[in-house]
Amino acid sequence: MNESRGSERELGRAASLMMAALDGELTGNERPEWETLLRQDSALRAEWERMSQLKEVTDTMELNSPPDEVWDEYQTGVFQRLERGIGWILLSTGATVLLTWGAWEWVQALMADNELPGFVRWAILALVAGLVVLLVSVARERLFVHKREPYKDVVR
């Protein structure tokens, strides 16, 4: 059991030295230890070669910048979504206010009837206001779902 722990420590030390060597961070005392490990272990040497090649490739790698057209389309898309989001908020708010005001005028005429009890008048007002909010909400949701329906062009 102690031998496996000793070999695990050696492997951990070898890996640690390899990473330091790849990064150019070996100290003066670590360099001879690393070179000795490389001479003694062919598997470690093979791994060192693979890691060195990988480091060389990644060090010389450059990311391709997308063309200007891609950035223009991206910005247009972001601004379009922002503008449309604000537009929907304003439209929903305006429709709710106007429909509520129209309903209020209608309800006021209804409430002018003094024969109706007060709680009935308030219940009618709440009912009409709720209907207006639900109407706007359902209309907005239907438009939203219709725009994003992936199968709207499929004919059955």
Side-chain angles (χ1 to χ4, degrees), residues 9-138:
R9 283 190 206 130
E10 289 173 15
L11 287 175
R13 178 67 179 156
S16 175
L17 288 173
M18 183 186 309
M19 293 300 112
L22 283 170
D23 293 336
E25 297 175 351
L26 285 177
T27 64
N29 296 335
E30 291 174 331
R31 183 163 300 283
E33 181 182 359
W34 170 242
E35 290 170 356
T36 301
L37 285 172
L38 276 178
R39 279 192 304 272
Q40 293 173 348
D41 190 346
S42 61
L44 182 63
R45 245 188 336 272
E47 181 68 16
W48 168 249
E49 289 298 321
R50 283 192 298 272
M51 293 296 283
S52 296
Q53 290 172 355
L54 178 64
K55 174 131 174 76
E56 183 179 331
V57 167
T58 57
D59 283 347
T60 58
M61 187 181 299
E62 291 183 19
L63 294 175
N64 290 336
S65 284
D68 290 339
E69 295 83 26
V70 171
W71 285 115
D72 291 342
E73 287 178 27
Y74 171 76
Q75 289 177 343
T76 301
V78 169
F79 290 130
Q80 246 179 7
R81 285 192 305 269
L82 181 64
E83 289 168 348
R84 289 189 181 165
I86 291 170
W88 277 113
I89 290 170
L90 293 174
L91 177 73
S92 298
T93 304
T96 302
V97 169
L98 288 176
L99 288 173
T100 302
W101 176 78
W104 173 258
E105 291 294 321
W106 176 73
V107 169
Q108 265 187 328
L110 186 64
M111 288 184 156
D113 183 6
N114 290 333
E115 294 178 12
L116 286 176
F119 74 91
V120 172
R121 292 178 189 167
W122 285 105
I124 291 171
L125 178 63
L127 176 72
V128 170
L131 284 173
V132 167
V133 170
L134 287 174
L135 175 69
V136 170
S137 175
V138 168

